[in-house]
Amino acid sequence: MARKPIIAGNWKMNMTNEQAKVLIEGLKPLVKDAKKTEVVICVPYTDIATAVSLCAGSNIKVGAENVAWAEKGAFTGEISADMLLELGTEYVIIGHSERRQYFGETDSSVNARLKTAVAKGLKPIVCVGETLEQREKNRTKSVIRKQVTLGLADLSEEDILNTVIAYEPVWAIGTGKTATSEQAEETIKFIRGVIAKMYTRKIANKVRIQYGGSMNPKNVKELMAMPNIDGGLIGGASLKAEDFSLVVNFDK
Ligand code: 13P
């Protein structure tokens, strides 16, 4: 029942096209021998065409950072699944805490985007995570349970198996303050338990769950040694080829 580790970069709102070219060309040779780990870069919409063309024939897969729930139409500023697929996009991040915090995403909009993504054949990376205040008030589990049950509601067994979940404690994002491997493992194990209740234990044991939040070359080994942690969603450290490659090659 081995789950293949997945290390995904989330570039967020960084990298112009020219900068993206330099980063990808630098990254390709550094990660080419990562055979046992899936390597993904989730990039701004404007970098997708460039990333797909530069990553063709390499082991790097390309993802977007969001997708519309609607198929097409009057949704100014949104990007549809068909638009992403036509460019060769494989993965898509949904429900990142920055989307929830700054752009009004809710569990229900996350669920709507997710359903469209899986229906169209994009592979989703759905983010969940508690704020510092919620953790300090001992609400981590109830917050995460709600995000998982509502955000991932009504997926078929096949679709949940194609969905990656990223546990990203909001207080660990961009702060340099990583969750300890025990904290990350505990919550990720809890998420697996929630999935087991929604589906079956057998299915839950097959779903990949990443950790995200200040993951870097220094802490990746310890986090990846945890039995329930199947990979990482990497922000800051994915913007430098050398750093990202060291995270990807955590097992070397
Ligand atoms: P950092 O790695 O910069 O903390 O960002 C994590 C993240 O939000 C990935 O989605």
Side-chain angles (χ1 to χ4, degrees):
M1 196 149 305
R3 299 181 297 264
K4 187 172 189 179
I6 171 167
I7 301 288
N10 173 10
W11 286 6
K12 308 191 179 186
M13 196 176 74
N14 294 292
M15 299 287 144
T16 64
N17 237 267
E18 288 308 317
Q19 292 166 335
K21 281 181 199 162
V22 175
L23 177 53
I24 293 169
E25 291 298 11
L27 186 61
K28 278 198 291 189
L30 299 178
V31 300
K32 70 174 176 15
D33 296 324
K35 304 269 189 287
K36 291 191 197 134
T37 300
E38 205 172 343
V39 186
V40 183
I41 52 173
C42 297
V43 307
Y45 295 130
T46 47
D47 291 333
I48 289 177
T50 299
V52 169
S53 118
L54 290 178
C55 293
S58 81
N59 59 334
I60 306 174
K61 295 166 177 174
V62 177
E65 298 177 13
N66 203 359
V67 62
W69 57 76
E71 188 153 346
K72 62 176 184 170
F75 297 94
T76 303
E78 288 286 293
I79 299 290
S80 76
D82 285 338
M83 293 169 181
L84 296 177
L85 286 162
E86 194 179 276
L87 293 182
T89 314
E90 199 169 327
Y91 278 90
V92 63
I93 297 173
I94 297 174
H96 191 278
S97 63
E98 286 146 19
R99 300 291 322 167
R100 295 176 191 256
Q101 190 179 348
Y102 306 126
F103 302 99
E105 294 275 351
T106 62
D107 293 328
S108 118
S109 68
V110 167
N111 186 244
R113 292 181 196 276
L114 173 61
K115 282 178 179 162
T116 300
V118 294
K120 289 288 183 176
L122 285 165
K123 296 177 188 160
I125 300 177
V126 179
C127 304
V128 298
E130 81 288 1
T131 63
L132 185 59
E133 194 193 350
Q134 290 163 338
R135 175 161 282 263
E136 284 173 347
K137 288 186 176 156
N138 257 331
R139 288 180 50 215
T140 299
K141 287 187 178 163
S142 62
V143 166
I144 301 277
R145 186 186 297 111
K146 183 166 166 283
Q147 289 176 340
V148 173
T149 47
L150 299 181
L152 281 80
D154 306 322
L155 289 197
S156 68
E157 293 189 353
E158 189 190 340
D159 289 340
I160 189 76
L161 289 172
N162 282 322
T163 299
V164 176
I165 299 171
Y167 168 55
E168 300 206 305
V170 177
W171 47 271
I173 295 177
T175 56
K177 196 171 152 190
T178 326
T180 64
S181 45
E182 288 78 20
Q183 284 173 322
E185 168 67 13
E186 186 192 357
T187 312
I188 288 178
K189 192 174 169 189
F190 173 77
I191 293 171
R192 206 175 292 291
V194 175
I195 300 292
K197 284 209 183 80
M198 293 168 73
Y199 297 88
T200 62
R201 173 51 65 180
K202 200 171 157 197
I203 286 179
N205 284 345
K206 289 185 184 166
V207 173
R208 293 186 295 177
I209 310 179
Q210 300 172 308
Y211 167 76
S214 300
M215 204 168 180
N216 60 44
K218 288 207 180 84
N219 57 31
V220 62
K221 264 199 176 65
E222 197 186 324
L223 287 158
M224 290 303 292
M226 291 292 157
N228 280 285
I229 302 182
D230 304 320
L233 190 55
I234 323 296
S238 73
L239 300 175
K240 291 191 184 128
E242 171 81 16
D243 284 357
F244 189 59
S245 74
L246 289 169
V247 175
V248 166
N249 296 318
F250 71 92
D251 55 345
K252 301 282 186 302

